[in-house]
Amino acid sequence: MDISVVIPLYNEEESLPELTEWIERVMSTHGFSYEIIFVNDGSTDGSMDVIRGLAARNPAIHSVAFSRNYGKSPALNTGFQRAKGDVVITMDADLQDSPDEIPELYRMITEDGYDLVSGWKKKRYDPLSKTIPTKLFNATARRVSGIKNLHDFNCGLKAYRKAVVKHIEVYGDMHRYIPYLAKNAGYKKIGEKVVQHQARKYGTTKFGLDRFVNGYLDLGTLWFQSKFGVKPMHIFGLLGSLMFMIGFLAVITVLVLKLVSMHSESYHFYLTKSVYFYLSLVFMVLGTQFFCTGFIGELIARNSPERNDYLISEEF
């Protein structure tokens, strides 16, 4: 199979027929063998009924329906697990991503040898309240990830070599950082293509402003995991050593001052009135705690094996 199109969706019943027809037309024109995998993320409208009707007339259409809303990352991860195409294309279901981009994305993967190609919506039809935070977010992501050539990490329109989606795990809200996940997995040939951004035709956006705050928190988590996820002792052990050393030096200072006080009639030193006494206690306790945290981190699994288990109400 040439292409798997993975489409996560939540309450997009109005756009699904038009999107499906558009994809089918592109695939037929270019002679691609394909499948469309709709991942219904707990929609409360008639999206599932629409998908059943579409699948009844086209056997290339498949669907996974979550019993409740889990989020875009779990939906993508579930679609990735089931994708069979040599190239996997992801796009949003709201018609803001153009299926006409698929042939060139496919060519960049199969002929140019990219592991991942991310879309860049250079000209957007979003309000400034969305575009300005997005630019700041992408600038930070480029800096932290080291992927300097990407302008839009969170673009839903992406193409992947099949091996990439089979070797990364998208969880939580990490769909924003799939290129970073791919890089950490060893897939470093990551490209970008300017793609057409279309104004939303039906419904309203399903994402609020909290995605920007959560995005920065997730970026910090991913950076920490990429640097210290396998060896947490490298960071906690270092911090523990520094704190313990500060505490130890404070203890030595306290002991020296007390000895001087004991042999001097003019100098009186009281342990409980010295700042060094409390520094020694605090830093040695903190140092021990950091060491224990590092050891525990080394002993337990970095991630829960049940993290991507979701209740599926229907699949075909």
Side-chain angles (χ1 to χ4, degrees):
M1 185 181 294
D2 295 324
I3 298 173
S4 293
V5 183
V6 176
I7 305 174
L9 65 106
Y10 178 70
N11 292 345
E12 297 287 358
E13 62 175 332
E14 296 173 305
S15 63
L16 292 177
E18 185 174 340
L19 175 63
T20 302
E21 183 181 351
W22 196 351
I23 294 173
E24 291 172 340
R25 185 169 62 250
V26 170
M27 297 299 182
S28 176
T29 299
H30 293 83
F32 292 131
S33 57
Y34 71 99
E35 63 178 354
I36 303 173
I37 303 174
F38 289 110
V39 185
N40 183 10
D41 188 22
S43 295
T44 56
D45 63 355
S47 293
M48 202 60 224
D49 292 332
V50 173
I51 294 172
R52 292 191 194 99
L54 294 170
R57 65 173 182 77
N58 186 350
I61 295 176
H62 309 285
S63 176
V64 180
F66 290 162
S67 60
R68 66 173 179 85
N69 181 246
Y70 286 100
K72 187 173 182 178
S73 292
L76 285 173
N77 195 72
T78 300
F80 288 164
Q81 291 174 348
R82 289 156 175 77
K84 299 176 182 177
D86 294 331
V87 174
V88 178
I89 305 286
T90 60
M91 62 173 53
D92 294 334
D94 55 11
L95 292 173
Q96 290 188 285
D97 296 331
S98 170
D100 288 334
E101 307 284 357
I102 290 176
E104 179 61 15
L105 290 171
Y106 177 82
R107 188 199 66 78
M108 292 178 73
I109 296 292
T110 57
E111 297 182 17
D112 294 346
Y114 285 103
D115 296 316
L116 185 156
V117 179
S118 182
W120 175 21
K121 297 174 181 177
K122 192 172 183 179
K123 182 179 180 181
R124 302 183 68 99
Y125 294 94
D126 293 322
L128 289 177
S129 60
K130 183 176 179 180
T131 55
I132 293 177
T134 296
K135 288 182 181 296
L136 294 173
F137 163 78
N138 283 306
T140 304
R142 283 194 298 273
R143 178 86 176 186
V144 173
S145 68
I147 307 176
K148 305 297 186 182
N149 63 317
L150 293 191
H151 294 82
D152 191 356
F153 278 73
N154 197 26
C155 179
L157 185 57
K158 289 182 172 67
Y160 312 79
R161 194 155 52 87
K162 182 180 180 180
V164 176
V165 302
K166 299 302 182 182
H167 291 113
I168 62 173
E169 185 181 16
V170 190
Y171 60 94
D173 285 323
M174 292 298 179
H175 59 273
R176 302 179 180 93
Y177 305 111
I178 290 181
Y180 196 5
L181 292 171
K183 178 186 174 184
N184 289 341
Y187 298 99
K188 298 181 179 179
K189 191 166 184 182
I190 298 172
E192 183 175 69
K193 180 186 183 300
V194 175
V195 297
Q196 181 183 0
H197 181 227
Q198 302 184 122
R200 173 179 277 273
K201 190 173 182 178
Y202 304 105
T204 58
T205 181
K206 310 302 188 298
F207 299 99
L209 292 176
D210 60 334
R211 70 186 184 276
F212 295 111
V213 176
N214 295 337
Y216 280 106
L217 295 176
D218 289 334
L219 182 59
T221 298
L222 188 55
W223 173 84
F224 181 86
Q225 288 183 344
S226 66
K227 296 292 184 181
F228 308 108
V230 177
K231 290 292 182 180
M233 180 55 79
H234 287 185
I235 181 64
F236 289 112
L238 175 62
L239 291 174
S241 298
L242 291 175
M243 298 240 176
F244 198 88
M245 183 60 66
I246 293 172
F248 181 75
L249 293 175
V251 168
I252 296 299
T253 303
V254 168
L255 290 177
V256 170
L257 292 174
K258 187 60 179 176
L259 289 174
V260 171
S261 174
M262 291 172 62
H263 293 84
S264 174
E265 296 181 356
S266 60
Y267 177 70
H268 300 283
F269 178 77
Y270 299 96
L271 284 176
T272 55
K273 291 184 179 181
S274 172
V275 65
Y276 297 108
F277 173 73
Y278 294 103
L279 282 176
S280 65
L281 290 178
V282 170
F283 280 97
M284 292 189 79
V285 169
L286 285 176
T288 302
Q289 289 179 333
F290 273 111
F291 256 106
C292 291
T293 302
F295 281 125
I296 293 172
E298 292 281 347
L299 292 174
I300 64 175
R302 183 178 111 189
N303 301 302
S304 170
E306 292 84 23
R307 185 180 56 214
N308 271 317
D309 287 344
Y310 312 107
L311 296 176
I312 294 174
S313 61
E314 183 177 353
E315 180 174 359
F316 52 84

